[in-house]
Amino acid sequence: MKRVAILIGGGGSNMVALADSMTGDHPARPVLVLSHRPGAGGLDKARARGIPIAVVDHRAFPDRAGFETALTAELEKAAVEVICLAGFMRVLTPGFVTRWAGRILNIHPSLLPKYPGLDTHARALAAGDAEAGCTVHEVTADLDSGPILGEARVPVKPGDTPDTLAARVLEREHRLYPAVLRRFVQGDRTPIILP
Ligand code: GRF
């Protein structure tokens, strides 16, 4: 069984989708849910599932190096083998990413390489895009630019706001991320394209 940590910063709906997928004959198990925000709603959801939780509050550290040292300590304590970023809103340094090379995944709410960074749905709407979506990719030192492991597309509908579009994309995130993780822990990195 691969030992998976899910790193969150918010509501944790992707964490729930991932954690709930890792049952039965799934080749991985969630061994840690870690938040960089003490108040993250996802922490309660992890607790309710009996998954060990940790908080590494980024504001308690003067710099990224200190924050990441604490992060690494928690991950090592739980003997983590694969890291899933799921709403974890801290940029990771090349040092951290190198330490975990080939073992960190992220989900991003756009069709990468379009719209790396923040405010993806507002940017897609402002550009008049006909479709939007989400991407799961390997994390490398370049933000939102690692090898793509899967994507799912949704239509942009008339009258969409960033919130309505985000909700449509989020529902797809919850299907895509578990599908990619299951393959990834089996060593299969062929991209999954959900319709
Ligand atoms: C998702 O839209 C994810 O793509 C982005 O942050 C959001 C996290 O939502 N990186 P949740 O905490 O998983 O509900």
Side-chain angles (χ1 to χ4, degrees), residues 99-162:
R99 159 80 176 71
W100 295 94
R103 295 183 293 157
I104 316 181
L105 310 184
N106 181 43
I107 188 153
H108 182 76
S110 78
L111 295 170
L112 289 172
K114 268 191 164 180
Y115 315 129
L118 299 174
D119 300 324
T120 55
H121 304 301
R123 289 155 71 195
L125 291 173
D129 291 355
E131 60 178 9
C134 51
T135 307
V136 176
H137 64 95
E138 249 183 75
V139 174
T140 61
D142 298 318
L143 186 69
D144 297 332
S145 303
I148 289 175
L149 298 169
E151 67 172 33
R153 293 166 182 269
V154 300
V156 174
K157 295 187 177 171
D160 260 341
T161 65

Side-chain angles (χ1 to χ4, degrees), residues 10-14 86-87 107-109 170 173:
S13 68
N14 277 290
I107 188 153
H108 182 76
L170 193 61
E173 295 182 32

